Amino acid sequence: MKVLSRASIVGTLASLALQTISIVGTLAVIFALPAVFGGKIPRLFYLSFVPLVWISLRHGLPGATATVFILNVGAMLSVCIFGLQTNPMIEVQLLMLVLSLTGLFLGATVTERSHVEKEMQDALRQRAELESIVNRSPMVVFLWRATEGWPVEFVSENVRQFGYAPDEFITGRVQFSQIIHSEDRDQVGTRASKHSEDGRAVHTREYRILTKKGDVRWVDDRTWVQRDAVGKTTHYQGVLIDITERKWAEDKLRRSEERFRLLLQNVKDYAVFMLAPYGKVASWNEGAECILGYQAEEIVGENFARFYIEADIAAGQPEKHLGTAMDKGSCHDEGWRVRKDGARFWANVVLTVLHDDHGRVSGFSNVTRDVTERKRNEEELRQAKEAAEAGSRAKSEFLAT
């Protein structure tokens, strides 16, 4: 709801009063003119109030006041034209003109003041809405002076998520530098000064702060540098977001990846390595080195097709296996593979396609196992079985004759 100031209310009432008096007075003068001048002015002159009524209905009191101003001018001309005893009437007309002009001026002034007040109220309302949005968000807004200790001139209400009240910072009972973790404090201050000296308008950093209870929280700080007319840094405007959970998740993932990496490095019975989307070797483990004979620096970046025999390369087997993995999710294959020294071995290979967060192919995992011994045993067993079956048939044929 719009709230007017006392000055606006008084001005509005004065303007309405003056405009109303000028209108009523002018109508009285118009209707009195014929009587004053003994009928010298035609009765049709009464029709002069018709435009006043129409404009009043159309444009309200300001329009009516402007109309009576014109009518007053016309009435003055009528007095001059139709009568000589004009002094009293002219004085009345002048009074009506002054009242009309004063009323219009006050009305315009009050209207302008009302517009200014409305704009101020709209600005205050928008500011309140923005503050409400910020305070409901996880972002804490700070405004610091670029002096020792980073004195706070403004901080959003939602700083309470760290246990502090805004006035603790604004009054200086708590300085922002005091809540930065002691191990991060120097580097935060040094980086801020360096970025300011480099002329950067914005810089980001991640560091730890202490809550009022003493808990450690990680924050992402995006700070804008404010400078005066000569380029001297005067303030820092920053937005802090609590990223503790993200940092914990990243640390957990890092430890998990490190354990997995160590596990793969120590697996010697399996060649486990990663391929880029088009088949180039992207990683290498100790098992791959033992089975295929390559050092990591020799093979990373090379195409995995070099592990295939020439006949399979000519037949396009490496590309077919990647295509199968992309279409079906994985590809299982057993066949001959070639070591660095050219020796062949029978391999059991599993290719699995990998996707990124957007569902795009990011590469393949390749797990290769040397099953040459198993293949040899199976071949010997097959040959023995065939020999036994052949001997059994020969025996049966001999007995039958």
Side-chain angles (χ1 to χ4, degrees):
M1 183 177 65
K2 182 179 178 181
V3 180
L4 293 176
S5 66
R6 179 178 298 179
S8 294
I9 294 174
V10 173
T12 300
L13 293 176
S15 173
L16 292 175
L18 290 173
Q19 293 181 52
T20 303
I21 292 171
S22 69
I23 293 171
V24 173
T26 299
L27 290 174
V29 169
I30 290 173
F31 281 91
L33 281 175
V36 171
F37 293 99
K40 292 181 180 180
I41 298 178
R43 295 287 178 177
L44 290 175
F45 192 75
Y46 292 153
L47 296 177
S48 61
F49 77 91
V50 173
L52 175 63
V53 175
W54 180 80
I55 294 176
S56 298
L57 294 174
R58 182 83 180 223
H59 298 287
L61 189 58
T65 306
T67 304
V68 301
F69 176 80
I70 297 173
L71 291 176
N72 273 299
V73 173
M76 290 180 67
L77 292 174
S78 298
V79 168
C80 295
I81 294 171
F82 293 102
L84 300 175
Q85 299 174 355
T86 59
N87 289 338
M89 293 306 298
I90 290 179
E91 290 176 358
V92 173
Q93 295 298 317
L94 287 173
L95 176 60
M96 294 303 104
L97 287 174
V98 171
L99 291 176
S100 299
L101 287 174
T102 304
L104 288 172
F105 175 76
L106 282 176
T109 302
V110 171
T111 301
E112 180 66 22
R113 186 183 184 93
S114 299
H115 288 162
V116 172
E117 289 181 352
K118 183 178 183 301
E119 290 176 357
M120 291 179 62
Q121 290 174 354
D122 290 343
L124 291 174
R125 177 179 55 80
Q126 292 176 0
R127 176 178 174 178
E129 291 177 353
L130 289 174
E131 288 182 354
S132 177
I133 292 172
V134 170
N135 290 331
R136 289 197 301 266
S137 74
M139 300 184 299
V140 181
V141 179
F142 273 93
L143 179 64
W144 305 284
R145 287 199 306 274
T147 58
E148 184 178 356
W150 291 26
V152 175
E153 291 191 357
F154 172 82
V155 59
S156 56
E157 189 71 23
N158 59 349
V159 73
R160 296 182 185 276
Q161 65 184 279
F162 299 126
Y164 301 100
D167 64 320
E168 291 184 273
F169 290 101
I170 295 173
T171 59
R173 293 200 304 271
V174 177
Q175 289 191 333
F176 184 79
S177 60
Q178 294 174 340
I179 74 171
I180 300 177
H181 196 284
S182 58
E183 296 179 3
D184 298 339
R185 191 174 301 148
D186 290 341
Q187 63 96 3
V188 170
T190 301
R191 287 188 62 186
S193 300
K194 184 176 184 299
H195 288 300
S196 298
E197 294 171 358
D198 291 345
R200 298 187 187 181
V202 60
H203 56 273
T204 62
R205 57 210 166 175
E206 295 179 358
Y207 54 88
R208 293 164 292 177
I209 64 171
L210 301 177
T211 67
K212 196 167 186 177
K213 293 182 179 179
D215 298 330
V216 177
R217 307 293 294 182
W218 278 93
V219 294
D220 179 283
D221 178 358
R222 300 180 181 230
T223 299
W224 288 261
V225 180
Q226 295 183 358
R227 296 180 171 86
D228 58 18
V230 297
K232 180 182 178 182
T233 300
T234 59
H235 292 81
Y236 298 108
Q237 181 181 354
V239 175
L240 271 63
I241 302 177
D242 189 339
I243 58 169
T244 305
E245 283 69 24
R246 193 199 80 191
K247 296 293 286 188
W248 287 346
E250 289 176 350
D251 186 60
K252 183 178 179 180
L253 178 62
R254 181 186 57 79
R255 292 197 302 267
S256 176
E257 290 177 344
E258 181 65 16
R259 288 195 297 268
F260 183 68
R261 184 183 65 81
L262 293 174
L263 176 64
L264 290 183
Q265 283 184 345
N266 293 324
V267 172
K268 297 183 179 181
D269 294 335
Y270 292 84
V272 182
F273 53 93
M274 306 296 294
L275 299 177
Y278 296 101
K280 290 186 177 181
V281 177
S283 70
W284 202 245
N285 80 324
E286 190 172 343
E289 182 179 331
C290 293
I291 293 174
L292 292 164
Y294 294 93
Q295 300 289 328
E297 57 271 17
E298 295 178 302
I299 195 61
V300 171
E302 300 294 332
N303 197 286
F304 84 122
R306 66 169 53 196
F307 307 140
Y308 287 75
I309 61 176
E310 292 184 2
D312 288 344
I313 294 175
Q317 289 298 318
E319 293 78 11
K320 291 179 181 178
H321 290 163
L322 291 179
T324 300
M326 290 179 65
D327 293 340
K328 298 182 178 181
S330 63
C331 175
H332 298 256
D333 175 61
E334 281 200 6
W336 292 110
R337 296 293 187 270
V338 182
R339 306 185 202 274
K340 178 183 177 181
D341 60 6
R344 294 186 179 188
F345 68 99
W346 192 260
N348 178 285
V349 180
V350 179
L351 270 175
T352 304
V353 68
L354 304 174
H355 297 92
D356 59 19
D357 295 337
H358 302 288
R360 296 172 299 202
V361 175
S362 60
F364 302 86
S365 66
N366 184 305
V367 180
T368 300
R369 186 160 60 104
D370 184 351
V371 292
T372 306
E373 188 65 26
R374 190 204 71 190
K375 178 69 173 175
R376 184 181 299 112
N377 293 336
E378 289 176 351
E379 183 64 23
E380 290 176 354
L381 180 60
R382 183 186 62 80
Q383 292 177 358
K385 183 178 179 180
E386 290 177 353
E389 290 175 351
S392 178
R393 285 195 301 271
K395 179 180 179 181
S396 298
E397 292 174 358
F398 174 77
L399 294 176
T401 57

